[in-house]
Amino acid sequence: MKYRSIAAPLLLPLITFGIYALVCSVKTKNEMNKSGTAIPTAWLLIIPIANIIWLWKYSVGVPGGESDATQPSG
């Protein structure tokens, strides 16, 4: 996965009224899907009950979406 700055996810959602949080979620979803996870389409984020299911699939896919390069050595 791509390394991102710490300040961007903390400050930009406040400035962009939450739009950056959605964009960041979609970008990381696409990166994780390229690694072999099965996270559904991001359109589910804007549907009230479906967004809970999407977040569950996203959180389950995080350990599988990390490549060996991001794992700590040791």
Side-chain angles (χ1 to χ4, degrees), residues 39-40 44 47-60:
I39 302 170
L44 295 176
I47 301 171
I49 300 298
N51 64 5
I52 297 170
I53 297 167
W54 189 90
L55 288 171
W56 176 260
K57 297 279 189 180
Y58 184 87
S59 64
V60 169

Side-chain angles (χ1 to χ4, degrees), residues 20-24 43 46 61:
Y20 180 78
L22 294 173
V23 170
C24 186
W43 284 104
I46 60 173

Side-chain angles (χ1 to χ4, degrees):
M1 292 178 66
K2 181 180 176 182
Y3 288 103
R4 292 181 170 83
S5 72
I6 295 174
L10 295 176
L11 296 177
L12 285 176
L14 298 172
I15 297 169
T16 63
F17 301 107
I19 295 173
Y20 180 78
L22 294 173
V23 170
C24 186
S25 297
V26 172
K27 285 183 178 182
T28 55
K29 175 201 79 87
N30 290 336
E31 291 175 6
M32 288 191 294
N33 277 345
K34 288 179 185 176
S35 298
T37 61
I39 302 170
T41 181
W43 284 104
L44 295 176
L45 278 172
I46 60 173
I47 301 171
I49 300 298
N51 64 5
I52 297 170
I53 297 167
W54 189 90
L55 288 171
W56 176 260
K57 297 279 189 180
Y58 184 87
S59 64
V60 169
V62 168
E66 294 177 349
S67 65
D68 293 333
T70 60
Q71 298 295 325
S73 60

